[in-house]
Amino acid sequence: MPRRLPIPAHFNPATVGQVWRVPYEERAAQALEWARIHELKPSGTDKKRVCLLLIDCQNTFCIPEFELFVRGRSGQGAVDDNTRLCRFIYENLQFITEIRATLDTHKAAQIFHSLFWINEEGEHPTPMTVVSVEDVETGAWRVNPDVTGVKGTDCYERLCSYALHYVRRLRERGKYDLIIWPYHAILGGIGHALVSAVEEAMFFHTVARRSQAGFEIKGDFALTEHYSVLSPEVDEDQEGNVIAERNASFLNTLLEFDAVVVAGQAKSHCLAWTMEDLLAEMASRHEDLAKKVYLLEDCTSPVVVPDLVDFTEAADGAFQRFADAGVNVVRSTEPVDQWPGGIFTQ
C-alpha cells in the first residue's frame, strides 16, 4: 500500500471557502471504488488505531463572510487550514481509523453573547467587548433582567451574583477574560454546520474505510463558555453547585486510541483549551501519554481581529508548552510514516 494516496478528482481547493451541498450518493459510490482501487481495508482491521480530532471546523469559524472567521494574520487562515486538512485526510485514508468532530453549539441568550448584558443606558455590549471583573463589580456591565426566562436563570438577584462569580472564577483560573462574541454557531443555523469540503472528506473516509464519523456537542449551556470539548470554563456556581460537567466519556474514548491527531479552530481558543485539558488528564495517568498526540500546526490558526485583538503570540506560546510536554507538533504535508513514534507504519 502506498504511503500517501492521491487526491480524488472531486476535491476542488477553490471551493473550500464556500458553502455547498455534498452529493452523498455520488461520493459514496466513488469512495467504494476508491477503496477497491487502493485496497483500503475496513478500519476495524487497523493494528494501530488513529483518531483524527477536528475542533470546530464549522462555517461560523471557517468561511470568510461568516460570524467568527478565523483569519489569522494571513487573512485566509481557516480556509487555507481546511484546504490542507482535506488533502491530509484524502492522502492518509489508510492510516485514519476514525474521525471525530467537535461542534460549537449555541443559542442567542448565553453569557458570552450581547443579549445577556446591558449597561446603565440599557444598551447591549458590541461584539468583542471584554467584560472584566471590574466591569461587573462596578455595574458598567450588568445582567440583562430580560434573560431570566432562560433555563437556569430564573432568579435575577441570584443570576447577578453568579455573573460576578463567573468573571472572578475566570481570572482565578488563569482563563481569558469574558469576551462578548458575535452571535455564532447558532443551533439549527447554517453557521453551525461543518465546512462543506471537510464534511465531504469525512463522509468519503466513512465509506472508504467503513468507519462511522463521530460528533461531540459543546457550548450549549447558557451560563458558561465552553472552549474545550472536554470541560467548561466554569463548572460550579457561587454556591458550589455543579452547572456543567467535564466530558469524561469522550476523554476516555480519545485515550483508547494509539494516536490522536488534532486540527481545527481556533489555535488560540477551542483547540488550545482542548489540548490543555487532554494533556492535564494524560499527565495524571502516565507521563508518556502525551507522545501519542500529534498537532497539525499548519491546519489551525489563531483569532486575529485587525486593530482590535491578536492572539497569535498566545497561541504560539501554548503550542510551545504542548511540545515541551511531549506532544508531537507536525505538519500535514510531511509523510506520516516519518512522524515520530512510528505509529503510522502499519
Side-chain angles (χ1 to χ4, degrees):
M1 182 181 297
R3 293 305 181 200
R4 182 180 294 182
L5 296 175
I7 304 294
H10 68 259
F11 176 62
N12 181 1
T15 65
V16 174
Q18 301 171 14
V19 178
W20 36 272
R21 183 186 67 82
V22 176
Y24 298 115
E25 295 300 329
E26 181 181 351
R27 292 293 174 268
Q30 292 169 338
L32 290 174
E33 179 64 8
W34 201 253
R36 185 191 68 79
I37 293 173
H38 296 287
E39 300 180 343
L40 298 178
K41 298 178 181 178
S43 62
T45 66
D46 288 353
K47 295 179 181 179
K48 298 291 186 179
R49 299 182 66 248
V50 175
C51 175
L52 175 60
L53 175 59
L54 306 184
I55 306 296
D56 299 358
C57 294
Q58 297 162 267
N59 292 329
T60 199
F61 302 114
C62 299
I63 302 299
E65 64 267 26
F66 276 66
E67 303 86 0
L68 271 176
F69 175 58
V70 181
R71 68 188 307 280
R73 287 182 174 173
S74 73
Q76 285 293 311
V79 174
D80 293 340
D81 296 336
N82 285 331
T83 301
R84 288 185 286 264
L85 175 60
C86 289
R87 289 184 176 277
F88 176 81
I89 293 172
Y90 289 126
E91 290 178 341
N92 298 287
L93 287 170
Q94 72 273 43
F95 296 113
I96 302 170
T97 308
E98 292 183 22
I99 301 179
R100 300 286 184 119
T102 71
L103 295 172
D104 208 32
T105 304
H106 304 315
K107 298 177 183 178
Q110 295 197 243
I111 199 167
F112 46 81
H113 279 158
S114 176
L115 185 64
F116 198 90
W117 300 91
I118 57 172
N119 60 17
E120 289 184 352
E121 289 73 37
E123 301 166 330
H124 300 294
T126 56
M128 305 310 296
T129 296
V130 175
V131 178
S132 68
V133 172
E134 293 75 20
D135 289 332
V136 182
E137 287 176 338
T138 63
W141 291 114
R142 62 190 66 180
V143 176
N144 178 4
D146 294 335
V147 301
T148 53
V150 177
K151 182 179 179 182
T153 63
D154 52 328
C155 175
Y156 184 65
E157 290 74 18
R158 187 171 182 276
L159 183 56
C160 290
S161 174
Y162 172 80
L164 181 56
H165 158 80
Y166 183 81
V167 292
R168 284 174 173 171
R169 189 69 176 134
L170 289 178
R171 183 168 293 182
E172 291 168 1
R173 298 184 65 185
K175 301 285 188 176
Y176 293 131
D177 282 340
L178 174 62
I179 296 177
I180 303 303
W181 297 107
Y183 295 109
H184 67 286
I186 300 298
L187 182 62
I190 194 170
H192 183 258
L194 286 174
V195 170
S196 300
V198 175
E199 182 202 359
E200 181 178 57
M202 289 177 62
F203 181 77
F204 194 86
H205 172 270
T206 291
V207 177
R209 295 295 320 278
R210 280 74 90 197
S211 171
Q212 188 73 287
F215 300 89
E216 293 293 323
I217 297 294
K218 69 179 179 70
D220 57 344
F221 185 66
L223 298 183
T224 181
E225 298 154 286
H226 212 303
Y227 293 126
S228 168
V229 68
L230 300 175
S231 66
E233 297 301 284
V234 174
D235 54 9
E236 293 183 347
D237 66 15
Q238 66 273 36
E239 298 165 359
N241 301 310
V242 174
I243 61 170
E245 297 181 341
R246 64 199 295 269
N247 192 341
S249 175
F250 185 52
L251 178 59
N252 289 329
T253 295
L254 292 177
L255 292 176
E256 290 172 356
F257 286 94
D258 295 292
V260 179
V261 182
V262 185
Q265 306 303 334
K267 180 180 181 180
S268 52
H269 287 74
C270 295
L271 186 146
W273 290 120
T274 296
M275 283 297 304
E276 294 279 6
D277 286 342
L278 180 59
L279 291 180
E281 183 65 25
M282 286 179 162
S284 71
R285 299 193 185 195
H286 195 284
E287 61 181 7
D288 288 336
L289 281 178
K291 295 178 181 178
K292 70 160 61 180
V293 181
Y294 295 79
L295 273 177
L296 294 179
E297 65 172 345
D298 60 341
C299 294
T300 183
S301 293
V303 171
V304 176
V305 181
D307 302 320
L308 190 58
V309 294
D310 186 337
F311 288 97
T312 302
E313 291 184 6
D316 290 344
F319 265 50
Q320 185 59 57
R321 292 196 304 275
F322 303 152
D324 292 343
V327 170
N328 303 284
V329 179
V330 295
R331 298 185 66 82
S332 66
T333 53
E334 299 170 347
V336 296
D337 58 323
Q338 296 179 19
W339 283 3
I343 204 78
F344 300 92
T345 56
Q346 57 183 328

